[in-house]
């Protein structure tokens, strides 16, 4: 997983992907947290917090959040938002690899948005075991999981955002979505993220030897690459990802 820090650093540098203020997009995630897990005050752990927009939105709603992020510039932005929105007392910021966290049955909820699948199946299993350790009895995990069927369809798609170009490929053998970014003026400098895609049945296999179980699955949206139109909610068989709630028995 050596690519992680470089990819997200370059993605933010080139496209400002993790800057800006909280929006309705982040507030909707807080609403999902409230409806799926419970109203504040609860102890919430966000893994891969990016620029901190969700963490700040959750703190504004009254949740106590531990935001974990490995990219230094993104951590700076989290601190900036905490000061601007005056939520320093509601947010604890950890600049580190979340595989190195040391908590024991502390959190009511763990949120991992748009990032699960980094590393191997063994890495995902190790992370789920850590999540089990970090959760209080009866606690919940909310996370987004990429589907293999959509990203197989997206294989070979190219996009351009100003001076930034992007290409999706799909590694069918390893069932991984690969997302490459570069600047138009420097196509030789490419950074790529690689995320393992899981069907719900595949995910259930990762949970086999844990005290975690799938509670609910909510399909996300899909982008039609012919029309470039995004549909916010589609059937699971067409979705780019699904949001899963996993509970600790």
């Amino acid at each position: 997983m050596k690519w992680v820090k470089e990819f997200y650093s370059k993605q933010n540098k080139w496209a400002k992907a993790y800057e800006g203020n909280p929006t309705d997009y982040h507030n909707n995630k807080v609403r999902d947290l409230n409806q799926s897990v419970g109203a504040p005050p609860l102890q919430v752990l966000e893994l891969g917090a990016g620029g901190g927009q969700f963490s700040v939105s959750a703190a504004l709603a009254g949740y106590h959040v531990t935001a974990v992020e490995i990219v230094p510039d993104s951590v700076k932005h989290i601190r900036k938002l905490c000061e601007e929105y005056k939520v320093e007392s509601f947010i604890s910021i950890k600049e580190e690899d979340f595989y190195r966290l040391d908590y024991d049955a502390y959190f009511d909820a763990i949120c991992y948005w748009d990032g699960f699948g980094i590393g191997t199946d063994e890495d995902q299993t190790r992370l789920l075991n850590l999540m089990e350790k970090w959760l209080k009895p009866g606690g919940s995990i909310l996370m987004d999981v990429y589907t293999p069927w959509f990203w197989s369809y997206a294989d070979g798609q190219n996009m351009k955002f100003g001076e930034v170009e992007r290409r999706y490929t799909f590694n069918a053998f390893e069932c991984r979505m690969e997302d490459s970014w570069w600047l138009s003026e420097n196509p030789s400098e490419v950074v790529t993220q690689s995320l393992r895609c899981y069907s719900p049945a595949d995910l259930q296999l990762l949970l086999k030897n844990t005290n975690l179980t799938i509670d609910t699955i909510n399909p996300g949206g899909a982008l039609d690459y012919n029309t470039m139109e995004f549909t916010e909610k589609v059937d699971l068989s067409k979705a780019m990802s699904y949001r899963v709630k996993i509970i600790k028995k």
Side-chain angles (χ1 to χ4, degrees), residues 134-153:
W134 299 332
L135 280 175
K136 296 176 182 177
S140 301
I141 299 165
L142 291 180
M143 66 182 189
D144 297 325
V145 182
Y146 280 23
T147 64
W149 43 86
F150 179 88
W151 294 103
S152 174
Y153 155 71

Side-chain angles (χ1 to χ4, degrees), residues 48-60:
Q53 291 85 357
F54 166 77
S55 288
V56 169
S57 295
L60 287 169

Side-chain angles (χ1 to χ4, degrees), residues 36 140-141 204 207 212-217 244-247:
S36 299
S140 301
I141 299 165
Q204 187 66 62
L207 302 175
L212 302 173
T213 187
I214 294 174
D215 182 64
T216 58
I217 290 174
V244 60
K245 177 184 175 183
I246 297 171
I247 57 175

Side-chain angles (χ1 to χ4, degrees), residues 116-128 198 206:
F116 185 75
I118 292 171
T120 64
D121 289 344
E122 290 76 16
D123 292 319
Q124 265 74 255
T125 299
R126 184 158 60 99
L127 179 58
L128 289 165
Y198 292 95
L206 294 182

Side-chain angles (χ1 to χ4, degrees), residues 11-243:
Q11 187 188 44
N12 192 48
K13 179 181 178 181
W14 293 343
K16 310 300 182 187
Y18 304 106
E19 297 187 6
N21 296 326
T23 66
D24 286 343
Y25 172 76
H26 307 100
N27 293 332
N28 288 338
K29 288 181 178 179
V30 176
R31 180 199 62 199
D32 287 350
L33 173 64
N34 192 312
Q35 293 175 349
S36 299
V37 180
L42 296 175
Q43 293 288 344
V44 177
L45 173 65
E46 185 185 9
L47 303 179
Q53 291 85 357
F54 166 77
S55 288
V56 169
S57 295
L60 287 169
Y63 292 97
H64 295 270
V65 184
T66 298
V68 184
E69 176 54 49
I70 197 171
V71 178
D73 285 346
S74 294
V75 172
K76 289 178 184 177
H77 193 262
I78 300 174
R79 297 190 192 283
K80 176 175 174 287
L81 289 182
C82 286
E83 292 178 6
E84 289 180 1
Y85 286 87
K86 304 186 188 311
V87 292
E88 295 100 323
S89 61
F90 285 86
I91 297 182
S92 173
I93 303 168
K94 304 291 185 184
E95 184 179 342
E96 60 183 288
D97 181 340
F98 47 67
Y99 281 98
R100 299 181 180 180
L101 291 182
D102 186 18
Y103 291 110
D104 190 8
Y106 183 75
F107 296 99
D108 300 289
I110 299 172
C111 298
Y112 191 11
W113 312 118
D114 194 31
F116 185 75
I118 292 171
T120 64
D121 289 344
E122 290 76 16
D123 292 319
Q124 265 74 255
T125 299
R126 184 158 60 99
L127 179 58
L128 289 165
N129 283 321
L130 286 171
M131 290 182 180
E132 179 185 345
K133 176 186 174 185
W134 299 332
L135 280 175
K136 296 176 182 177
S140 301
I141 299 165
L142 291 180
M143 66 182 189
D144 297 325
V145 182
Y146 280 23
T147 64
W149 43 86
F150 179 88
W151 294 103
S152 174
Y153 155 71
D155 181 56
Q157 295 295 332
N158 293 281
M159 288 167 282
K160 187 172 183 179
F161 310 97
E163 297 303 314
V164 181
E165 298 191 45
R166 181 181 199 180
R167 178 184 297 119
Y168 290 126
T169 53
F170 186 74
N171 182 329
F173 185 81
E174 296 184 5
C175 202
R176 302 188 73 88
M177 181 277 280
E178 297 173 344
D179 177 19
S180 298
W181 292 60
W182 66 93
L183 292 174
S184 300
E185 63 183 19
N186 187 16
S188 63
E189 184 182 359
V190 180
V191 292
T192 302
Q193 69 168 329
S194 173
L195 298 179
R196 174 74 157 89
C197 302
Y198 292 95
S199 71
D202 294 333
L203 180 61
Q204 187 66 62
L205 288 174
L206 294 182
L207 302 175
K208 185 176 180 180
N209 296 316
T210 71
N211 288 314
L212 302 173
T213 187
I214 294 174
D215 182 64
T216 58
I217 290 174
N218 292 305
L223 180 63
D224 185 327
Y225 286 104
N226 294 316
T227 63
M228 297 306 290
E229 293 181 356
F230 181 75
T231 303
E232 189 171 338
K233 287 289 183 181
V234 298
D235 185 80
L236 179 61
S237 64
K238 298 179 175 63
M240 302 169 75
S241 65
Y242 55 90
R243 184 159 297 166

